[in-house]
Amino acid sequence: MLDIQAQILARIQAADTIIIHRHVNPDPDALGAQGGLAAVLRASYPTKTVYVVGSDPENLSWLATMQTIPNDTYRSALVIAVDTADTPRVSDARFATGAGLIKIDHHPNDDPYGELNWVVPEASSTSELIADLVAASNGQLQLTAEAARFLYAGIVGDTGRFLYDNTSPHTLQVAAELIRYDFDPTALNNRMNQITLAQGRLQGYVFDHLHITPAGAATVEIPLAVVQELGLDAGSVHAAVGTPGRLGNVVAWAIFVEQADAPYRVNLRSKGPIINELAKAHQGGGHPLAAGAKAQDRAEINQITAELAAIVAKGTQHE
């Protein structure tokens, strides 16, 4: 039997139209894997039609732009969903209407959708997996400078500029190969590190309103009124997600972002204690140290706060 990479390559080879999806509220890895794979396929198969679709990238529009396609395009198309753990998070519900569906991801495989699943939770990012697919293709797939830029952005984004523990020796080897191509990694890093004055003020709000338990569990709520007063959109708020972790006494944290017409968005991060099971218990999921969830109301915010505090307290008792 062909291994999963060979099976994916065979499906790509056989398809005339390929539509690539990723998750809602995209981060650099979602856009990097999506855009990088599209650039690779367009360079490798000039006669194939390749589309990238999904919601507006908002504050990451400088990295990637989406295409608008009619429903009929899906009729005979191969659909590839990248960096998306479960079907509710796929941006654009039409992903399920294609002639075939492949999942490529690095989140825990709790929802193994699609006819082919290539999921490697140990990988730093889905962008790293796309680079691995190119390397495993024996020349069938061609990397370009455009693709390398996308994939490097995705790896940098999901490793926190190689600071997170998902950075493996292989991750660094892949990144080293990517920067051999003709793009400016320094300029890209500087662009990814850039924030607006409003985002800086939001980070200040987080520090001013952060609640930290003695064991190091930190929580903060960002009201919709604060976001609106600063003139920020939903995507721009993500700049504050890592802010609590810069404090030495913070071990794990939750940021509750009030939404206009939906439950609170909950961003969970950790420096050690596993927090993705907490996320799963509240309509979410993700990586062991980086996950997302939802809170319907104040009661659920209080519940998540208490559960996070318990997880951190238990972890520190075992140190």
Side-chain angles (χ1 to χ4, degrees), residues 31-279:
L31 296 174
Q34 182 187 39
L37 178 58
V40 164
L41 296 182
R42 287 166 181 158
S44 305
Y45 303 104
T47 62
K48 294 184 186 297
T49 305
V50 181
Y51 298 103
V52 291
V53 300
S55 56
D56 184 354
E58 296 181 341
N59 64 313
L60 289 173
S61 58
W62 60 268
L63 179 59
T65 56
M66 299 296 104
Q67 295 169 282
T68 301
I69 59 175
N71 295 340
D72 288 350
T73 309
Y74 284 84
R75 188 170 300 157
S76 59
L78 172 65
V79 177
I80 303 176
V82 298
D83 198 42
T84 311
D86 50 58
T87 54
R89 283 184 53 75
V90 180
S91 186
D92 194 328
R94 296 179 297 171
F95 79 95
T97 65
L101 177 61
I102 295 173
K103 175 184 180 182
I104 303 177
D105 189 30
H106 73 127
H107 297 88
N109 198 19
D110 296 323
D111 182 4
Y113 61 86
E115 294 129 46
L116 291 177
N117 264 244
W118 183 30
V119 179
V120 185
E122 299 78 24
S124 72
S125 55
T126 305
S127 294
E128 180 180 312
L129 293 178
I130 300 302
D132 288 342
L133 184 66
V134 174
S137 73
N138 294 318
Q140 182 176 334
L141 300 181
Q142 302 297 318
L143 202 59
T144 64
E146 179 188 11
R149 177 179 178 271
F150 272 119
L151 299 178
Y152 183 78
I155 292 172
V156 168
D158 257 26
T159 61
R161 296 169 186 81
F162 309 107
L163 291 175
Y164 302 157
D165 68 350
N166 61 352
T167 305
S168 68
H170 179 66
T171 304
L172 296 175
Q173 289 169 352
V174 171
E177 288 301 315
L178 293 174
I179 62 174
R180 294 177 185 274
Y181 287 80
D182 187 21
F183 73 97
D184 189 340
T186 301
L188 182 61
N189 277 302
N190 287 337
R191 184 64 181 83
M192 293 179 70
N193 195 43
Q194 179 179 304
I195 62 172
T196 65
L197 181 58
Q199 288 175 314
R201 286 175 173 154
L202 181 64
Q203 292 181 352
Y205 178 91
V206 168
F207 281 132
D208 287 343
H209 295 81
L210 200 62
H211 299 279
I212 309 173
T213 68
T219 55
V220 64
E221 179 184 335
I222 301 178
L224 179 60
V226 170
V227 176
Q228 292 175 335
E229 182 180 348
L230 291 171
L232 295 172
D233 58 33
S236 298
V237 175
H238 194 77
V241 170
T243 300
R246 299 183 66 183
L247 300 176
N249 62 327
V250 169
V251 176
W253 61 99
I255 297 180
F256 303 96
V257 184
E258 185 180 10
Q259 306 295 296
D261 54 0
Y264 285 81
R265 183 186 301 167
V266 186
N267 296 288
L268 291 159
R269 298 292 186 270
S270 175
K271 296 177 182 176
I274 304 302
I275 45 82
N276 62 336
E277 292 301 322
L278 171 59

